[in-house]
Amino acid sequence: MSDAPLPREQSMGRIVLRRFFKHKLAGIAIGVLLVLVLFSVFAGLNSYSPTEQNPTNSFAKPNAANWFGTDELGRDVLSRIMYGGRVSLAVGLLSTVLSIFLGITIGALSGYFGGWLDSTLMRVTDAFLTFPTIFVLIILGAFLREQQLFILQNSIFVVIIIIAALSWMWPARLVRGLFLVLREKEFVTASRALGGSNFRIIVQHILPNCVGPILVSGTLQMASAIITESGLSYLGFGVQPPTPTWGSILSTAQNQIFRAPWLGFFPGFMIFITVMAINYIGDGLRDAFDPYVIHSEK
């Protein structure tokens, strides 16, 4: 008889991590996104201020002093993109967290309890899905800025609120569908028989089994939120000057696209590479949390 040790059963976390990093593009995307985050976080190390004007140096091509060139007011484009990354990434992350939280709450209540509550919440969800998104975003942005609440005086919070308010419906429908299936499983029935409360069953037993799809949905939500923020800022209804964002930098570049193409190229490239990285991370998470593959590898 062989004395070789039996293979040790791997934990779920190890299997998920191994499968995620098998997706080579997802691993590269993690590195790219980390570089972009550091690029924005350490924007203060740049020797130029994003609002510092130097009219004598306007429309300077990319050079040793100004790596990404300057704009029509002589402002350093690299500095503006670095500081703009802080806003764009923060808006994307925070609006996604808020929309996912709202979606999980509404979807869990709807899918777990069913009945009239399910019908009511889903009709509200359907109503929100019928709204013409871009017009509602513009109207909400204009309305919220007129309010006297302190938190709304900073337009960054306005953009986060309006994006989250119109993007929670997809995670809500996803979570509802998952709960409709999982609430009928044996482990939920056993927990009820042992006297488990509804809150405990939802939080401790059903919700952990929804983590994979929710994370994948979150990556898609974040990519969409960054594009939405950029679009709003491009139209002038997003984060307001003098705060730079990638979308607002693109907006100021539209009239100078032939004279100074670098003004549009660099912020556009940042949006493109960020969204691509997040989408590839979502692909990696989808593969990593595939329940059939995980079960076969355990």
Side-chain angles (χ1 to χ4, degrees):
M1 180 180 292
S2 173
D3 293 330
L6 294 174
R8 186 172 57 184
E9 185 176 357
Q10 299 185 61
S11 67
M12 180 71 72
R14 287 175 179 269
I15 295 174
V16 168
L17 283 175
R18 188 178 72 251
R19 287 195 51 77
F20 177 82
F21 285 105
K22 274 186 178 180
H23 194 298
K24 294 182 180 179
L25 288 176
I28 294 172
I30 284 284
V32 170
L33 189 60
L34 180 60
V35 169
L36 291 170
V37 171
L38 294 176
F39 176 80
S40 301
V41 168
F42 292 103
L45 298 179
N46 192 294
S47 57
Y48 294 98
S49 167
T51 57
E52 179 184 353
Q53 300 181 16
N54 184 7
T56 61
N57 192 37
S58 60
F59 294 119
K61 295 181 179 180
N63 55 72
N66 304 103
W67 291 3
F68 287 4
T70 62
D71 61 11
E72 70 279 6
L73 298 177
R75 296 173 296 190
D76 181 66
V77 176
L78 174 59
S79 177
R80 290 179 60 75
I81 288 178
M82 292 177 74
Y83 278 93
R86 289 182 176 182
V87 178
S88 296
L89 292 174
V91 169
L93 177 62
L94 295 177
S95 63
T96 298
V97 170
L98 181 56
S99 67
I100 290 293
F101 175 78
L102 291 173
I104 289 175
T105 302
I106 293 173
L109 293 175
S110 178
Y112 182 79
F113 291 104
W116 66 267
L117 183 61
D118 179 30
S119 299
T120 302
L121 292 177
M122 286 302 101
R123 296 299 76 76
V124 172
T125 302
D126 292 340
F128 270 82
L129 286 171
T130 63
F131 290 161
T133 305
I134 190 64
F135 296 110
V136 176
L137 287 170
I138 291 173
I139 293 171
L140 277 176
F143 171 75
L144 289 176
R145 282 197 194 89
E146 297 299 322
Q147 306 307 303
Q148 299 303 313
L149 295 176
F150 173 76
I151 194 172
L152 299 181
Q153 299 304 307
N154 187 335
S155 58
I156 294 177
F157 291 103
V158 172
V159 175
I160 291 172
I161 291 171
I162 61 179
I163 292 177
L166 290 177
S167 58
W168 58 266
M169 298 83 70
W170 291 275
R173 293 176 71 89
L174 171 66
V175 172
R176 172 184 177 268
L178 294 170
F179 267 66
L180 286 174
V181 174
L182 293 172
R183 71 179 184 179
E184 305 299 333
K185 296 294 184 180
E186 291 80 0
F187 64 89
V188 175
T189 304
S191 181
R192 285 201 192 100
L194 292 172
S197 64
N198 290 327
F199 179 80
R200 181 174 181 179
I201 293 172
I202 290 173
V203 174
Q204 293 189 4
H205 298 289
I206 301 181
L207 199 55
N209 289 280
C210 304
V211 169
I214 289 173
L215 286 177
V216 175
S217 174
T219 60
L220 300 176
Q221 290 281 112
M222 184 172 178
S224 176
I226 290 175
I227 293 176
T228 301
E229 182 278 322
S230 299
L232 282 175
S233 296
Y234 180 84
L235 294 172
F237 293 95
V239 179
Q240 299 299 300
T243 304
T245 70
W246 292 338
S248 63
I249 297 172
L250 270 178
S251 179
T252 59
Q254 62 181 330
N255 295 325
Q256 310 294 341
I257 193 64
F258 295 108
R259 180 179 180 181
W262 59 87
L263 295 181
F265 172 77
F266 289 115
F269 178 76
M270 296 299 290
I271 295 171
F272 169 77
I273 199 68
T274 301
V275 171
M276 286 293 291
I278 294 173
N279 283 335
Y280 277 123
I281 291 171
D283 286 344
L285 289 173
R286 181 196 59 200
D287 293 346
F289 281 98
D290 188 329
Y292 300 104
V293 177
I294 289 177
H295 180 74
S296 66
E297 294 187 9
K298 290 186 71 173

